[in-house]
Amino acid sequence: MKILIARMNHETNTFSPVATPLDAFGRNGPCYGEDAYRENKGMRTAMSAFIDAARHEGAQIVTPISASANPSGPVAAAAYDAICNAIVDAASGCDAVMLDLHGAMVAENSNDGEGDLLERVRAALPEAPIAVSLDLHANVTQKMIDNADVIVSFKTYPHVDMYESGEHAARLLFDRVHGRARPVIAWSQPPLLTHTLRSTTAEGAMKRAVEAASAAERDGMLAVSVLSGFSLADIEAPCISVVVVGDGDREAAQRVAKRIAQQIWDERDAFVYRSEPLADSVAKGAALARDTDKPVLLLDHGDNCMSGGTCDTMDVFVEALKQGLDGMVTGPLCDPEAVAALYAAGVGATVTLYVGNKLAGNAASPRPPVRLTGTVRALTDGEYIISGPTYTGQRAFMGRAAVLDTGAAQVLVTERTHEPWDLGVFESVGIDPRGARFLILKSRMYCRPVFVPIAGALVECDSRGVTSSDYGLFEFGKLKRPVYPLDADTAW
């Protein structure tokens, strides 16, 4: 058996000004062929699970590409075409396909990045079974449903089951190949824009929806996925979905999809997050710091790296300075110009420079860069190995990194946008985050498995950047209306 295995991951924020060329996918672009295999073998991605399952079957494995980029603006047309062409061109002669996809890609030449890819793969291999692993934040489309035989998404956010979702999808594909199951797909999509901060699977309505999905699997469905969608995409329906893989009985699968979707719709207000004023959030953090000797996390979810943030919005830091906070560690702040200046000055130099607020596209009115004076404490290549639990073992690339010590804060400035996945973000530049009084992180969820255990408290802060939870800041032109919560009287 010859199996095509590939990875194409990008969550597209169509409101983000951060460009997404081909070299954004990886350190300097995607990995191809044997390099794509090596990048994933032994890791905890869905593609890793596909490789392990195919090896167990004794299959010949074809890995044309592994392409994963941080969330950002629409993918450049040339980049999208290059990735898709690599996958489709490798399809000839393959007996099955397993694709590790995000599910929320928008390109300059495609509003349905995964659906258009799957349509091309299906045309190239009309009879071959196709299994897909999706991110929990995928925006499911009819084209994706029509051109896949198996779809399984993550069941955790923060995502710590990427490998397990791939393992599940692979198992169902081989069950079909060996005649042990007849996978059929059904789905349901209420007109509901969820907020990412309400898609955590540890609590609330999302937890209850995922529990209902797991119960349906125990009751006989082959796979049941709740995909909260990614609403910061101006497409027809960036909405929550329920996808069910049944065993030969599509009508039964459709009943399950509709039932769980109805449960979600009945609790729709629980999927909506409403931010408090930023000054109130920072003041709350200051008060909490008086009762703990551990760091207080100030999470800047309005400029969240993993939702396409610019990572240079300075609102939270400026408000913290205004309120007299000290002992701060903040970053990574993306400002290549500032990094160059700090490198030119050298370690130990005292410098004055302007940092942040340089990339156009803030959802609120533009703000000027912030003038900072401090001492350069460290200069590094910005690389480290992620210890987990997300992307365990992978090498991370922040671009060149520099630390500016202003007295009140240690500011980590990098050339690339970067999620604080790991303590290594700071430890790699000589900062011990455990010693901070306040940690200002541009993150919503991915930092939590690592930073919450070392913290004394956590406060969510909305800087009104391009990942703000205030949908009123964004102009949706392609979105199908009515949709909740933009339209309070939406019926379904």
Side-chain angles (χ1 to χ4, degrees):
M1 189 184 303
K2 184 179 180 182
I3 300 179
L4 169 61
I5 299 174
R7 183 182 185 199
M8 183 181 82
N9 284 181
H10 187 257
E11 182 177 77
T12 305
N13 180 336
T14 62
F15 304 103
S16 174
V18 180
T20 316
L22 187 61
D23 63 9
F25 290 85
R27 185 180 185 183
N28 292 298
C31 292
Y32 299 92
E34 287 299 315
D35 288 337
Y37 180 94
R38 284 191 292 269
E39 181 181 64
N40 288 273
K41 181 70 181 76
M43 300 301 176
R44 299 298 296 175
T45 64
M47 183 168 172
S48 309
F50 293 158
I51 290 170
D52 290 345
R55 281 169 54 92
H56 185 265
E57 290 284 330
Q60 178 186 352
I61 300 172
V62 179
T63 54
I65 194 167
S66 176
S68 181
N70 280 346
S72 48
V75 177
Y80 177 69
D81 289 345
I83 296 168
C84 292
N85 289 344
I87 295 171
V88 175
D89 291 348
S92 179
C94 290
D95 302 295
V97 179
M98 293 189 283
L99 298 177
D100 178 347
L101 306 177
H102 183 285
M105 176 182 280
V106 179
E108 292 172 341
N109 54 342
S110 172
N111 282 331
D112 184 3
E114 289 83 1
D116 288 343
L117 169 64
L118 286 168
E119 185 177 58
R120 291 183 61 190
V121 174
R122 174 61 73 203
L125 297 171
E127 304 302 322
I130 300 173
V132 176
S133 170
L134 293 178
D135 190 285
L136 177 139
H137 294 102
N139 290 325
V140 180
T141 66
Q142 188 63 51
K143 193 174 286 189
M144 293 161 68
I145 298 294
D146 290 344
N147 291 287
D149 298 283
V150 171
I151 293 178
V152 179
S153 80
F154 310 158
K155 281 186 168 65
T156 62
Y157 180 53
H159 308 316
V160 294
D161 65 333
M162 292 179 285
Y163 183 93
E164 287 76 9
S165 75
E167 193 174 46
H168 191 167
R171 181 173 69 252
L172 297 187
L173 180 137
F174 288 120
D175 282 349
R176 171 181 163 158
V177 168
H178 298 304
R180 295 188 293 260
R182 297 174 298 149
V184 294
I185 300 180
W187 75 305
S188 186
Q189 186 179 60
L192 171 60
L193 297 179
T194 71
H195 281 93
T196 307
L197 279 166
R198 289 290 179 259
S199 62
T200 174
T201 54
E203 61 186 22
M206 188 63 179
K207 178 182 180 183
R208 291 187 286 276
V210 171
E211 288 173 343
S214 296
E217 290 177 348
R218 292 192 296 271
D219 289 340
M221 293 296 114
L222 298 180
V224 183
S225 300
V226 179
L227 305 102
S228 68
F230 182 66
S231 297
L232 293 173
D234 189 16
I235 58 176
E236 182 177 352
C239 299
I240 195 166
S241 298
V242 180
V243 176
V244 178
V245 182
D247 191 359
D249 189 340
R250 197 181 305 274
E251 290 185 2
Q254 188 63 57
R255 288 193 296 270
V256 171
K258 176 65 175 178
R259 172 173 56 79
I260 297 175
Q262 186 64 54
Q263 172 185 321
I264 291 168
W265 182 248
D266 291 344
E267 293 194 84
R268 56 191 175 277
D269 203 51
F271 288 90
V272 177
Y273 179 91
R274 295 178 174 86
S275 300
E276 65 181 354
L278 177 57
D280 293 351
S281 299
V282 173
K284 182 186 297 182
L288 289 167
R290 291 193 286 269
D291 298 322
T292 179
D293 59 358
K294 295 181 178 181
V296 172
L297 301 182
L298 301 178
L299 300 192
D300 182 4
H301 62 89
D303 188 23
N304 171 33
C305 174
M306 293 309 288
S307 293
T310 61
C311 292
D312 80 334
T313 301
M314 301 294 285
D315 297 11
V316 178
F317 184 58
V318 168
E319 182 62 33
L321 290 173
K322 180 180 177 182
Q323 295 193 24
L325 275 58
D326 59 10
M328 293 183 282
V329 168
T330 185
L333 298 174
C334 181
D335 189 334
E337 181 182 59
V339 171
L342 294 169
Y343 258 79
V347 173
T350 297
V351 297
T352 297
L353 74 169
Y354 289 89
V355 178
N357 288 346
K358 295 174 182 176
L359 190 58
N362 287 325
S365 58
R367 280 82 82 194
V370 177
R371 187 173 186 266
L372 297 177
T373 297
T375 303
V376 182
R377 296 296 185 196
L379 300 170
T380 78
D381 63 6
E383 297 186 15
Y384 66 95
I385 302 297
I386 299 173
S387 60
T390 306
Y391 293 128
T392 305
Q394 290 196 47
R395 179 168 288 276
F397 311 101
M398 300 187 287
R400 291 189 304 170
V403 176
L404 179 68
D405 187 344
T406 69
Q410 295 184 79
V411 182
L412 170 59
V413 190
T414 60
E415 291 181 315
R416 302 180 67 166
T417 62
H418 191 76
E419 173 71 24
W421 304 106
D422 197 84
L423 298 181
V425 167
F426 297 108
E427 291 176 341
S428 66
V429 296
I431 297 174
D432 180 3
R434 301 171 190 84
R437 192 165 183 222
F438 299 95
L439 280 169
I440 302 176
L441 305 178
K442 293 185 173 296
S443 182
R444 280 197 177 109
M445 287 290 170
Y446 288 109
C447 70
R448 299 191 192 207
V450 173
F451 286 91
V452 167
I454 70 168
L458 181 153
V459 180
E460 293 161 348
C461 303
D462 192 342
S463 61
R464 297 172 72 80
V466 295
T467 70
S468 173
S469 295
D470 182 358
Y471 291 157
L473 297 174
F474 306 102
E475 294 184 10
F476 290 91
K478 300 173 184 176
L479 179 66
K480 183 179 179 181
R481 308 287 289 265
V483 64
Y484 193 83
L486 298 186
D487 305 298
D489 59 349
T490 302
W492 185 60

